[in-house]
């Protein structure tokens, strides 16, 4: 009998490597026909905990955080776009692309757990941010996404401004740092196999095969 596999997927919605990693993981699960045997729990991580509420232009962000020139930034995004295309995910970076604050996205993802809509919401966040180039820190955008995946919310502000939820997320992020997790994506399979970074489809298939 095939065992259930739980994957804790530590990520941030503005992390392109997380989008690529998840797309590859999803392909690996499909190719092994394990859709009913794998559960994915989306775990919070802040790539940019101190970013301003209005976000930051992608070039300014790259220069400030990584010391990249415009040419280096363009080359990096061209590589990400190519790898995304190969995996089946579309990145549509422009000169006006922004890195945004993800506090509300993590709060909404936390809320989505009870309705079993986390993965659908995460996919929509990736697509909305990277493919559609929309601002996922905008609460109107988040309201539309919640409705799109079937999450019932009477008052979005009550959900997103809930201090207990925010505290729980902060504690969870702190716990990942305590475990030495400093990069995303990080995947933890069955609380025992920890994998940093976006791996290939074949690498994910090998890990999954060893766990079933």
């Amino acid at each position: 009998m095939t065992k259930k596999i739980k994957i804790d997927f530590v990520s941030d919605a503005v992390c392109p490597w997380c989008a690529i990693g998840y797309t590859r993981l999803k392909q690996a699960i499909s190719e092994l026909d394990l859709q009913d045997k794998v559960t994915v729990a989306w775990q919070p991580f802040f790539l940019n905990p101190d970013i301003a509420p209005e976000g930051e232009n992608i070039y300014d962000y790259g220069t400030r955080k990584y010391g990249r020139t415009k040419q280096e930034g363009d080359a990096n995004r061209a590589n990400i776009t190519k790898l995304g295309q190969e995996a089946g995910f579309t990145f549509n970076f422009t000169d006006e692309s922004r890195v945004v604050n993800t506090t509300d996205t993590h709060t909404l993802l936390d809320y989505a757990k009870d309705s079993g809509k986390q993965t659908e919401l995460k996919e929509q966040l990736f697509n909305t941010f990277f493919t559609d180039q929309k601002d996922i820190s905008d609460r109107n955008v988040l309201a539309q996404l919640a409705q799109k995946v079937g999450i019932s919310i009477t008052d979005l502000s009550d959900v997103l401004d809930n201090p207990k939820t925010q505290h729980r997320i902060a504690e969870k992020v702190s716990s990942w740092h305590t475990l030495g997790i400093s990069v995303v994506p990080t995947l933890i399979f069955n609380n025992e196999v920890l994998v940093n970074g976006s791996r290939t489809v074949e690498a994910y298939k090998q890990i999954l095969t060893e766990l079933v």
Side-chain angles (χ1 to χ4, degrees):
M1 180 178 173
T2 304
K3 294 186 295 184
K4 284 276 190 178
I5 301 171
K6 181 193 176 189
I7 303 173
D8 287 295
F9 200 119
V10 186
S11 70
D12 200 351
V14 294
C15 164
W17 295 106
C18 296
I20 291 172
Y22 173 66
T23 305
R24 291 172 175 171
L25 174 68
K26 191 175 178 181
Q27 181 179 337
I29 292 169
S30 177
E31 290 183 7
L32 293 173
D33 197 24
L34 293 175
Q35 293 93 327
D36 296 331
K37 303 298 181 182
V38 175
T39 60
V40 178
W42 292 94
Q43 303 293 348
F45 193 92
F46 292 104
L47 273 177
N48 311 290
D50 301 321
I51 199 162
E54 67 273 15
E56 189 173 6
N57 176 272
I58 200 165
Y59 287 112
D60 297 335
Y61 170 79
T63 299
R64 177 182 60 80
K65 187 166 184 177
Y66 303 108
R68 289 180 183 142
T69 64
K70 184 178 185 300
Q71 284 183 324
E72 289 169 337
D74 286 340
N76 179 62
R77 283 182 287 281
N79 180 54
I80 289 171
T81 300
K82 177 176 177 291
L83 292 174
Q85 186 176 32
E86 291 171 355
F89 186 88
T90 301
F91 292 95
N92 286 319
F93 295 114
T94 73
D95 289 353
E96 304 305 317
S97 295
R98 299 182 71 79
V99 179
V100 300
N101 186 288
T102 54
T103 299
D104 284 349
T105 66
H106 288 303
T107 307
L108 189 58
L109 282 163
D110 182 89
Y111 183 81
K113 281 190 297 188
D114 289 343
S115 57
K117 299 288 187 178
Q118 252 199 338
T119 293
E120 286 181 67
L121 178 60
K122 191 71 173 194
E123 289 177 344
Q124 288 295 330
L125 287 166
F126 282 147
N127 291 333
T128 300
F129 183 67
F130 289 116
T131 307
D132 300 337
Q133 291 291 299
K134 292 183 179 179
D135 182 359
I136 57 172
S137 69
D138 184 327
R139 291 189 171 187
N140 290 325
V141 172
L142 293 179
Q144 292 168 7
L145 295 184
Q147 184 177 30
K148 187 172 184 178
V149 301
I151 300 173
S152 178
I153 300 176
T154 303
D155 189 326
L156 184 64
S157 294
D158 281 351
V159 171
L160 299 182
D161 294 328
N162 188 314
K164 290 183 179 179
T165 304
Q166 292 172 351
H167 180 69
R168 181 167 61 249
I169 291 169
E171 284 192 325
K172 179 64 74 172
V173 172
S174 178
S175 74
W176 299 134
H177 287 295
T178 300
L179 287 173
I181 294 174
S182 59
V183 299
V184 285
T186 291
L187 281 67
I188 306 167
F189 295 79
N190 287 344
N191 297 319
E192 57 186 32
V193 180
L194 189 150
V195 179
N196 288 318
S198 176
R199 302 300 176 91
T200 64
V201 173
E202 290 305 315
Y204 286 135
K205 286 172 69 173
Q206 182 177 348
I207 295 168
L208 292 166
T209 301
E210 291 172 356
L211 292 173
V212 294

